Amino acid sequence: MKSKTKMIAATLLGMAVSFPVAAQEKTEASVGADLVSGYIWRGNDCGGVSIQPTLSVARSGFSLTAWGSAGFNSEDTKEVDLTASYTIGGLKLAVTDYWFNQSLTGSGMKKNKYFDYGAHTTAHVFEGTIGYNFGLLALSWNTNFAGADYAKADRDRAYSTYIEAVAPFRLGELDFAAEIGFTPWEGMYADKFNVTNIGLKATKTIRITDTFTVPAFGKVVVNPYTEGAYFVFGLSL
């Protein structure tokens, strides 16, 4: 009888301890948008002035995020990205589906269909990411593993890869992030090993009224491979 009583007491104690933890778990959702003077991604010029909305839902380390970009110029390519990720501690694992509404062909621009997943016709690009945030430094490895990835001369998939290191720091009243990214082999970023992105981003909150503020950022980017240089300003809403 005593052993049964102890078992019941232990069960009740376990429920009492675990319930508050479970009760604290909640689903978080957010929606927002960035207005940028230019769409620069991993050192590449992807468009002019753009609005870039985002919607995300997260729970227990798992998250689903939808992100898009639409240029103010009607000729700009529109983009829709879906990302599923899991974060535990500093480790992050993610899979992203990139899609672009049009692509350049030998005869001009081609309109792409979103639900076309054909092996040789799809405009979707699927990327796997593994990253770790050490606090003073965040590292990530990103590789295209399926879809409309860059093809080499022999038509083999390039498995285009981008590796990046980001170091945040604070100087004066601004939050900074210095980044460097490179590709280890031939792919969509370069024709061989090359540094394709060196950037410095500064973020500050602009006070509009006593109760209304808007986060703003400025970012300087150079691409040693293409010899391109960019200065982007953005507002986060």
Side-chain angles (χ1 to χ4, degrees), residues 3-173:
S3 61
K4 186 175 181 179
T5 302
K6 289 180 180 180
M7 185 181 298
I8 295 174
T11 302
L12 293 175
L13 178 60
M15 292 175 62
V17 171
S18 63
F19 179 76
V21 176
Q24 290 175 3
E25 289 188 4
K26 61 179 181 179
T27 300
E28 299 180 350
S30 64
V31 63
D34 288 341
L35 176 62
V36 295
S37 60
Y39 177 16
I40 309 300
W41 180 70
R42 296 178 178 176
N44 294 296
D45 186 353
C46 298
V49 178
S50 303
I51 185 74
Q52 299 176 337
T54 183
L55 172 65
S56 66
V57 179
R59 183 183 178 90
S60 302
F62 292 94
S63 69
L64 295 174
T65 302
W67 183 92
S69 183
F72 279 35
N73 187 330
S74 60
E75 297 180 356
D76 285 348
T77 298
K78 295 178 176 58
E79 180 179 348
V80 177
D81 304 338
L82 301 177
T83 300
S85 66
Y86 177 67
T87 302
I88 180 169
L91 177 66
K92 181 177 181 179
L93 305 173
V95 174
T96 300
D97 170 7
Y98 299 94
W99 179 78
F100 309 90
N101 76 319
Q102 59 184 6
S103 56
L104 184 63
T105 66
S107 58
M109 297 300 295
K110 168 192 172 185
K111 293 295 183 181
N112 300 318
K113 298 179 180 179
Y114 186 85
F115 294 104
D116 181 358
Y117 292 96
H120 304 290
T121 58
T122 186
H124 291 264
V125 179
F126 299 93
E127 177 186 79
T129 296
I130 180 170
Y132 199 90
N133 189 341
F134 296 92
L136 296 178
L137 183 69
L139 302 174
S140 66
W141 179 295
N142 313 270
T143 296
N144 294 346
F145 62 88
D149 187 22
Y150 174 91
K152 299 181 181 180
D154 57 7
R155 307 308 298 168
D156 285 346
R157 180 182 298 278
Y159 293 98
S160 300
T161 294
Y162 176 78
I163 302 169
E164 186 176 70
V166 180
F169 62 95
R170 187 169 179 82
L171 183 63
E173 298 181 352

